[in-house]
Amino acid sequence: MGLDLTTIDRVKTITKEDFIKNYFKPQKPVVIENFVNDWPAHSKWSLEYMKEVAGDKTVPLYDDRPVDFKDGFNEPHATMKMGEYVDLLKREPTKFRIFLWNVLKEVPILQKDFTFPDFGLRLLKGLPMLFFGGTDSYTFMHYDIDLANIFHFHFEGKKEVILFDQKQNKYLYKIPHSLIVREDIDFSNPDFDKWPALKKAKGHITHLEHGNVLYMPEGYWHYMRYITPGFSMSLRALARNPSRFGKAMYNIFIMRNYDNLMRRIKGQKWIDWKNEQAIIRTNKENKIA
């Protein structure tokens, strides 16, 4: 028995009106399969092309090690030249991922390969971010600090995505004062003896291939596993729901600073306390002895 996941709707393409009515307003995820076929990126973007245009750029790398109090918020674990990193991805499985890499800033020429689509939401023009990963590398289940509406465009390879909405928080072993759940949960094959509350969580699943775009509604938790090496670009629009927008402001200006302060004061004890609290609070809320 696995997680209770429903397959995300897939459409070939979609009009702005249908997107707003059927997915944005009800805050429901969707995969649009052929939305970017007319972008130059659709035919050009591959790992090899990235190596060609950005091979000499130094890139920040992250892996799946547990959070350490010495790591600042979103600090990389290593760096490498993009060319070497692409060679590594193609050569062997690696846990190293590139995360939140700003295309416009780092390689402005890539801007010519895509246009900002009109989904009826105002996309943040300065923040197209790229994400890369190798076979079987994955991101911890997390949600974004700004609880934005996210459009995730996938290029090369295949990727598995599992989503949960914020109503599932009480089943996910969420870490207090952070945006992640317990990092030792394997969402592609969870151990329900160890994490019994997960059985009650209701989520969504899909697989992305080259040229697919996934819409993730405001504040959705997401876990992504690269089945083969590949990369994606995310475009975002601010949360429109007032309470989610308020929570985003709280996360950015209060929660993040408080967490960094506590890491400095208490060190690893703070991280250990938060991990313990995730279990205590989830069990209490679900009346699990």
Side-chain angles (χ1 to χ4, degrees), residues 3-9 163 202-206:
L3 290 164
D4 183 355
L5 303 173
T6 53
T7 304
I8 294 172
D9 281 4
L163 304 179
K202 288 183 169 20
H204 311 268
I205 188 167
T206 196

Side-chain angles (χ1 to χ4, degrees), residues 59-62 73-75 97-103 105-106 127-132 139 142-146 150 152 179 222 226 232-236 256:
V59 292
L61 299 175
Y62 299 80
F73 201 83
N74 284 346
E75 253 180 42
R97 292 175 293 107
I98 297 179
F99 164 75
L100 286 179
W101 198 56
N102 190 323
V103 189
K105 218 166 65 189
E106 300 291 341
L127 290 173
M129 295 294 186
L130 284 182
F131 303 80
F132 291 71
T139 58
H142 69 287
Y143 67 93
D144 287 18
I145 194 164
D146 57 357
I150 299 167
H152 195 70
L179 310 166
H222 41 286
Y226 292 86
S232 307
M233 177 175 74
S234 275
L235 300 178
R236 60 209 306 113
R256 175 166 59 179

Side-chain angles (χ1 to χ4, degrees), residues 78 82-83 206-207 264:
M82 176 60 107
T206 196
H207 290 90
R264 284 203 295 279

